[in-house]
Amino acid sequence: MRLELSVDRSSPVPLYFQLSQQLEAAIERGTLTPGSLLGNEIELAARLGLSRPTVRQAIQSLVDKGLLVRRRGVGTQVVHSQVKRPLELSSLFDDLEAAGQRPATRVLVNTVVPATAEVAAALAVSEGSEVHRVERLRLAHGEPMAYLCNHLPPGLLDLDTAQLEATGLYRMMRSAGLTLHSARQSIGARAATAAEAERLTEPEGAPLLTMRRTTFDDTGRAVEFGDHIYRPSRYAFEFQLLVRP
């Protein structure tokens, strides 16, 4: 596919960055779909009148973001677009579908456990009382994106494993008649443990995005406490910041 690419030599923005931004935009729009071949550096450099090191730097920046991959004997190939999740009360399953990422789920644990102090405080139940624990691996295009651990009060809804693998948890809640109203959420980052790295196909110690969320229904009842980790090469949170009047 021949892309319409151009660079502005009078701009203070580095040429490699101009090129990488245009390529990233083409991936985000779906003009360059997963599996597409980008073409070689020599051809791109000749088309744009750029040096090969400049083109190589632009491509490498997208390789580092996880959007492109260099395959020996194949060339530079589009892997996927990064999912940018808005900070609103939505599920990862819905966000992946909206981004055209073909979500899939693998349920690792679906059981009842005693509530730890942290879980009990989040769900406003007694420590040691029974809560439902669900651990899932969320994939997109067959590749792991996130590990999700959720605790729910007992008797809230039927957490059927087959249904958990077929759809999102929030969809199941809404289908059960729950009205999700608000959530308290914190976002952070840390290094991957050996077990987390294996699940997400990342090196041990690789940086991971973390998200903890307690979700409330329209009566103010805590209905879910989630502790999730994400691969930052595949996932980002987007903030909209407003000036305080």
Side-chain angles (χ1 to χ4, degrees):
M1 182 178 296
R2 188 173 179 86
L3 295 172
E4 295 299 322
L5 301 170
S6 62
V7 293
D8 180 1
R9 296 179 184 278
S10 65
S11 170
V13 178
L15 297 176
Y16 89 88
F17 190 73
Q18 292 183 45
L19 177 56
S20 70
Q21 289 292 93
Q22 291 176 69
L23 292 173
E24 183 171 354
I27 295 170
E28 296 290 347
R29 288 195 306 267
T31 306
L32 283 171
T33 56
S36 300
L37 289 173
L38 189 60
N40 62 57
E41 295 171 1
I42 299 174
E43 189 269 340
L44 274 176
R47 274 179 56 192
L48 298 171
L50 298 172
S51 67
R52 285 187 64 187
T54 297
V55 173
R56 188 178 301 117
Q57 188 176 7
I59 290 174
Q60 187 59 49
S61 68
L62 299 182
V63 170
D64 293 341
K65 285 185 175 183
L67 302 179
L68 299 176
V69 64
R70 300 180 192 271
R71 302 192 189 279
R72 188 180 299 275
V74 176
T76 303
Q77 198 169 23
V78 177
V79 182
H80 43 62
S81 59
Q82 186 185 54
V83 176
K84 295 182 178 179
R85 185 175 189 176
L87 284 183
E88 58 187 35
L89 190 50
S90 62
S91 73
L92 176 57
F93 190 94
D94 293 339
D95 292 335
L96 289 171
E97 274 200 338
Q101 293 282 335
R102 297 201 305 272
T105 305
R106 189 181 305 153
V107 175
L108 307 176
V109 172
N110 184 6
T111 189
V112 173
V113 298
T116 63
E118 180 182 37
V119 170
L123 296 179
V125 298
S126 301
E127 184 176 352
S129 63
E130 289 189 342
V131 293
H132 216 110
R133 179 183 177 96
V134 177
E135 297 179 36
R136 294 165 294 160
L137 190 65
R138 185 60 45 79
L139 304 96
H141 298 291
E143 187 179 349
M145 282 199 63
Y147 164 73
L148 316 172
C149 178
N150 297 81
H151 289 87
L152 295 87
L156 192 69
L157 72 161
D158 179 20
L159 290 169
D160 178 71
T161 295
Q163 201 171 359
L164 282 166
E165 292 191 335
T167 189
L169 181 59
Y170 282 6
R171 285 190 188 180
M172 291 177 63
M173 287 182 168
R174 293 186 179 105
S175 296
L178 294 168
T179 301
L180 305 181
H181 178 266
S182 60
R184 185 171 59 246
Q185 179 170 286
S186 62
I187 295 169
R190 61 174 172 78
T193 66
E196 291 166 347
E198 184 177 1
R199 287 190 191 108
L200 296 175
T201 63
E202 291 280 351
E204 184 176 354
L208 297 175
L209 284 172
T210 66
M211 186 269 282
R212 288 189 169 191
R213 174 190 283 179
T214 304
T215 305
F216 304 90
D217 67 8
D218 56 348
T219 69
R221 173 181 55 165
V223 293
E224 175 254 347
F225 172 60
D227 190 357
H228 303 172
I229 55 174
Y230 304 86
R231 299 173 66 187
S233 63
R234 296 293 315 273
Y235 205 79
F237 291 100
E238 282 196 334
F239 299 78
Q240 181 178 10
L241 304 178
L242 301 176
V243 175
R244 187 186 298 272

